[in-house]
Amino acid sequence: MIQPTKENTLYLPIKQSYFDAIIEGTKKDEEREVKEGITSSRYLLKDEQGNLQLNPDVTEQGKKYFVDDYNGGNFPFIPKPYKYLSLAVGYSRERDTALVEVTDITYKQGKLFGNPPKFCWWVQVFHLGKIVEVHRKS
């Protein structure tokens, strides 16, 4: 098993009901909308120049892409290779926390814009595996 590190673990605040469902094994994924700016920087790989790294399997060389491009139904960027989610219920000091394995990261289309679609809101889906540790608040 790969050890959790700051580089391979993403911290996410989460609602108590979703946290409990993940711990119980009834919720198998966690979704987050990818937006330009802070969330794209947290979720997506960047190159040496700080640009989002394009997925060469679904993009054209030399073309400029944005996080809201529909791109024929293919998300144009590569996710950071997170191996774990560090989940925390809310923002208070005393809260439930867990470390959960990420088995895969995929994308699904949210709301589409245009006919035919030109833009869309993309949702990053973290597929969850083993619960590594759980800490319940006192």
Side-chain angles (χ1 to χ4, degrees):
M1 181 167 108
I2 298 171
Q3 292 300 309
T5 65
K6 186 176 181 179
E7 292 76 28
N8 70 11
T9 305
L10 175 64
Y11 166 79
L12 292 177
I14 191 170
K15 291 183 178 181
Q16 185 75 55
S17 60
Y18 299 142
F19 180 91
D20 292 340
I22 289 169
I23 301 308
E24 292 166 5
T26 57
K27 186 174 186 330
K28 301 289 187 185
D29 55 40
E30 179 60 20
E31 299 179 355
R32 296 296 162 114
E33 187 175 305
V34 180
K35 299 176 185 174
E36 196 71 49
I38 293 174
T39 60
S40 65
S41 293
R42 287 185 73 205
Y43 302 153
L44 305 175
L45 266 182
K46 290 188 174 185
D47 63 19
E48 301 81 35
Q49 291 78 36
N51 300 312
L52 295 177
Q53 206 165 33
L54 293 173
N55 180 344
D57 295 335
V58 298
T59 57
E60 298 173 30
Q61 190 173 5
K63 184 176 176 184
K64 187 157 177 75
Y65 292 87
F66 300 91
V67 296
D68 62 353
D69 283 339
Y70 178 67
N71 192 37
N74 298 296
F75 189 68
F77 300 103
I78 298 174
K80 285 186 178 178
Y82 288 117
K83 300 297 180 195
Y84 300 97
L85 294 183
S86 174
L87 303 174
V89 176
Y91 295 95
S92 67
R93 187 172 169 174
E94 286 292 316
R95 59 190 171 171
D96 291 347
T97 61
L99 184 67
V100 182
E101 177 186 39
V102 174
T103 59
D104 195 15
I105 299 172
T106 59
Y107 295 91
K108 70 178 191 178
Q109 300 159 16
K111 186 175 180 179
L112 301 175
F113 300 92
N115 190 11
K118 186 169 180 177
F119 303 104
C120 83
W121 289 341
W122 286 100
V123 176
Q124 189 167 14
V125 182
F126 298 94
H127 301 273
L128 306 177
K130 185 175 122 181
I131 308 298
V132 178
E133 59 186 51
V134 177
H135 299 281
R136 295 288 186 171
K137 63 185 173 190
S138 303

